[in-house]
Amino acid sequence: MDLDVLNMFVIAGGTLAIPILAFVASFLLWPSALIRIYYWYWRRALGMQVRYANYDDYQFCYSYRGRPGYRPSILMLHGFSAHKDMWLSIVKFLPKNLHLVCVDMPGHEGTTRSDLDDYSISGQAKRIHQFVECIKLNRRPFHLVGTSMGGNVAGVYAAQYPEDICSLTLICPAGLPSTTDSKFIKQLRELQESKRIDRIPLIPSTPEEMADMLKLCSYVRFKVPQQILQGLVDVRIPHNEFYRKLFLEIVDEKSRHSLHENMSKIKAPTQVIWGKQDQVLDVSGASVLASAIPDCHVYILENCGHSVVVERPRKTANLILEFLALLHSIDNNKKQA
């Protein structure tokens, strides 16, 4: 073999080895950094851009794609201890010409965190209204989507600011009483009785606790490598003290049943999506909403847990699109009548 050719292969091999070694080093030594890079890459690939909006001295962080058009914009509110990027799995299956906005909830990720802020469900709804006004999203009524804690906030928002929204999707929302205790509620009761409330199952601090949380939230059993579990924990640990304070706030008397207390005020057409095997918030909550909201469409997903957005992203995206298409068709028929 010619020496120049051999040198070329050595150089090429070295060039390829550098990113491979960097990846392996990140995976083994800094898995949390790899997770952040993963979300950055996914946002970029899907065309989601990160922006900031300010209301007085309060900062909101959000991502968006598209521009307002003839179809309603969609605002998405994530759940407890999550962030705006949790919606990327659904964004992947939504049309690129839809105007999508995913915001970090109060105190989460890039949105301001303050000990003086009101993190009750009604307090969070007020903050989201400030965000909506900041970016002028309510120039036209928009479609609001919320999951878990974000579903609780979304429902209260729909009740308190009915002129802002044209329709609503609630995915396994919190804030409802249940006739059947979920596995999570039973665990909380046991922790309260043993005075170990600091060991909240949704606030893991070790890879083992993270694995347990994933099993609790998901019916689908994902095989997650130990290093990734460690990375997920490393990302969360600096925020765990805040998560504990927030959790105690949203399960307090003031917020525990906020959606239930406001659901009769919801006038917008509402879609409810729930995983049948939800172990965090029992699926019976869907019938509670259906009995109280006049125009309520319920979809129960088989073989699906609490993490509907992660477990069934394509199905969830399709259900939202079908719901919006149905409402558009009904609206057109009314205009022609």
Side-chain angles (χ1 to χ4, degrees):
M1 181 181 290
D2 189 280
L3 187 60
D4 289 338
V5 175
L6 180 61
N7 285 339
M8 182 182 71
F9 275 106
V10 170
I11 293 169
T15 304
L16 288 172
I18 291 171
I20 291 171
L21 289 172
F23 175 83
V24 172
S26 295
F27 182 75
L28 294 175
L29 302 176
W30 306 289
S32 59
L34 194 62
I35 289 168
R36 291 188 180 94
I37 292 170
Y38 168 76
Y39 281 123
W40 172 84
Y41 175 80
W42 205 4
R43 280 198 308 267
R44 188 177 178 87
L46 294 174
M48 296 293 287
Q49 300 182 57
V50 175
R51 293 289 184 272
Y52 295 89
N54 292 290
Y55 185 91
D56 294 334
D57 59 348
Y58 194 91
Q59 177 181 268
F60 296 96
C61 180
Y62 67 102
S63 60
Y64 79 97
R65 188 175 75 184
R67 295 182 177 181
Y70 71 94
R71 290 193 286 187
S73 299
I74 299 178
L75 173 61
M76 298 179 164
L77 309 182
H78 65 74
F80 171 77
S81 77
H83 47 75
K84 59 187 176 298
D85 292 332
M86 71 157 286
W87 295 108
L88 292 175
S89 56
I90 283 184
V91 169
K92 177 182 177 181
F93 298 107
L94 294 174
K96 290 187 177 180
N97 60 352
L98 265 182
H99 182 222
L100 308 175
V101 179
C102 306
V103 63
D104 284 328
M105 296 294 283
H108 290 74
E109 198 76 7
T111 292
T112 295
R113 179 179 299 172
S114 169
D115 291 336
L116 301 176
D117 215 12
D118 178 5
Y119 291 105
S120 68
I121 296 301
S122 61
Q124 291 191 61
K126 289 175 184 175
R127 280 296 188 196
I128 295 301
H129 183 60
Q130 291 171 355
F131 168 70
V132 165
E133 293 196 316
C134 274
I135 66 168
K136 298 180 172 56
L137 189 64
N138 54 354
R139 283 180 174 175
R140 291 180 56 194
F142 58 88
H143 180 70
L144 182 59
V145 182
T147 185
S148 197
M149 179 193 77
N152 196 351
V153 175
V156 172
Y157 188 103
Q160 299 297 325
Y161 307 100
E163 66 284 352
D164 279 6
I165 71 166
C166 59
S167 47
L168 176 68
T169 294
L170 302 176
I171 305 173
C172 304
L176 298 167
S178 175
T179 54
T180 305
D181 283 347
S182 66
K183 181 178 179 179
F184 173 63
I185 297 300
K186 290 176 181 176
Q187 288 179 343
L188 281 185
R189 288 218 173 98
E190 290 172 4
L191 290 171
Q192 284 176 327
E193 289 170 3
S194 60
K195 296 183 180 179
R196 296 165 59 210
I197 195 62
D198 58 311
R199 300 289 298 276
I200 300 166
L202 297 181
I203 309 178
S205 56
T206 67
E208 293 72 26
E209 290 176 357
M210 173 59 71
D212 289 340
M213 187 191 82
L214 294 178
K215 289 177 184 176
L216 177 68
C217 293
S218 175
Y219 176 79
V220 177
R221 292 292 176 255
F222 298 103
K223 293 182 179 179
V224 184
Q226 183 74 9
Q227 286 302 118
I228 296 299
L229 290 172
Q230 183 64 60
L232 292 170
V233 169
D234 290 345
V235 168
R236 295 172 65 99
I237 281 178
H239 309 288
N240 276 357
E241 184 179 350
F242 165 73
Y243 293 152
R244 287 189 185 93
K245 290 179 180 177
L246 173 61
F247 183 82
L248 294 175
E249 181 72 49
I250 62 178
V251 298
D252 186 66
E253 290 291 335
K254 184 179 178 182
S255 294
R256 187 182 304 165
H257 296 145
S258 290
L259 179 54
H260 186 254
E261 292 161 4
N262 284 273
M263 61 185 184
S264 62
K265 301 174 189 173
I266 298 174
K267 305 305 177 188
T270 300
Q271 176 186 52
V272 175
I273 303 173
W274 217 302
K276 189 173 182 179
Q277 284 75 30
D278 192 334
Q279 297 183 98
V280 178
L281 299 169
D282 192 76
V283 67
S284 59
S287 59
V288 174
L289 291 170
S291 64
I293 302 173
D295 191 3
C296 187
H297 305 249
V298 175
Y299 303 87
I300 306 299
L301 304 185
E302 296 282 349
N303 302 319
C304 184
H306 186 66
S307 301
V308 172
V309 174
V310 177
E311 295 180 70
R312 304 289 289 279
R314 185 193 296 270
K315 180 65 175 178
T316 304
N318 287 339
L319 285 173
I320 292 172
L321 292 174
E322 289 167 8
F323 181 58
L324 292 176
L326 172 65
L327 297 180
H328 181 68
S329 175
I330 292 172
D331 189 50
N332 281 343
N333 290 338
K334 287 180 179 178
K335 289 177 180 177
Q336 293 172 6

